[in-house]
């Protein structure tokens, strides 16, 4: 089966099928418009999205009266950074920006993918953080840039 569009998201769907199959994806695979995946029931699917959009956790790839296939994002190894002041936020944001490291924000937390050098930097700057396994809502976007 080839999937060419996302039907909706389980968070907003009014009607659901009774049986759910899941496609477990790493967060960096959410940005791929073309890929081959296997459901947790062993069914192989091709994804070739027509629209230019990223997949997100809970996206419904297929649904009929009995079955639906839903995207589930695997947990990432993250550093959850919790600066206690605007100064700490500025310091770590500047350092991460110099490394071209993508970050996401949830409430007062900054999320970055685990990197031992960033962990050492956080310890050096005495910025509160926690290393944890956690689902992210969207893929981390790496932005290409060169210093000419």
């Amino acid at each position: 089966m080839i999937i060419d569009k996302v039907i909706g998201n389980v968070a907003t769907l009014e009607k659901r099928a009774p049986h759910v199959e899941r496609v477990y994806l790493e967060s960096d695979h959410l940005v791929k418009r073309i890929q081959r995946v296997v459901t947790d029931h062993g069914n192989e699917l091709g994804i070739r999205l027509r629209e230019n959009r990223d997949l997100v956790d809970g996206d419904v790839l297929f649904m009929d009266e009995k079955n639906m296939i839903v995207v589930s994002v695997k947990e990432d190894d993250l550093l959850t950074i919790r600066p206690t002041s605007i100064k700490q936020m500025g310091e770590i944001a500047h350092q991460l920006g110099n490394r071209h490291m993508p970050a996401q924000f949830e409430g007062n937390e900054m999320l970055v993918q685990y990197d031992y050098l960033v962990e050492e930097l956080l310890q050096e700057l005495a910025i509160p953080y926690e290393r944890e396994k956690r689902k992210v809502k969207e893929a981390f976007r790496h932005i290409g840039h060169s210093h000419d």
Side-chain angles (χ1 to χ4, degrees):
M1 176 184 329
I2 303 289
I3 306 297
D4 63 359
K5 69 180 185 215
V6 174
I7 295 169
N9 193 286
V10 291
T12 57
L13 277 183
E14 292 179 22
K15 181 184 162 203
R16 296 182 184 190
H19 180 261
V20 178
E21 283 186 61
R22 298 204 178 270
V23 172
Y24 290 96
L25 297 177
E26 303 284 340
S27 65
D28 56 345
H29 286 229
L30 296 173
V31 299
K32 294 182 176 183
R33 288 182 43 220
I34 300 172
Q35 58 186 309
R36 184 171 300 277
V37 298
V38 178
T39 70
D40 60 349
H41 287 59
N43 295 315
E44 195 169 318
L45 305 173
I47 298 175
R48 186 183 317 134
L49 298 179
R50 285 183 282 183
E51 55 185 307
N52 188 17
R53 79 183 285 282
D54 294 344
L55 294 169
V56 297
D57 189 54
D59 275 349
V60 178
L61 302 176
F62 170 82
M63 185 168 66
D64 62 17
E65 304 80 36
K66 298 177 184 172
N67 301 303
M68 60 194 290
I69 300 173
V70 178
V71 171
S72 283
V73 181
K74 293 181 181 178
E75 293 180 331
D76 275 293
D77 188 8
L78 300 177
L79 291 171
T80 303
I81 306 167
R82 298 179 183 95
T84 57
S85 68
I86 192 72
K87 182 179 185 301
Q88 281 188 344
M89 176 54 91
E91 286 175 340
I92 195 60
H94 178 75
Q95 293 287 339
L96 294 174
N98 280 343
R99 291 173 169 79
H100 302 283
M101 188 163 207
Q104 295 183 22
F105 299 88
E106 290 184 11
N108 292 327
E109 299 176 331
M110 176 187 277
L111 308 176
V112 296
Q113 290 176 311
Y114 178 78
D115 181 288
Y116 74 94
L117 293 172
V118 173
E119 185 174 36
E120 288 175 2
L121 177 67
L122 290 164
Q123 290 169 353
E124 182 182 310
L125 296 173
I127 297 175
Y129 76 93
E130 183 179 346
R131 183 177 178 182
E132 61 183 340
K133 294 277 189 189
R134 184 165 159 180
K135 276 188 180 189
V136 292
K137 292 184 171 84
E138 56 190 49
F140 284 93
R141 285 242 176 241
H142 290 276
I143 300 169
H145 176 73
S146 64
H147 294 274
D148 295 326

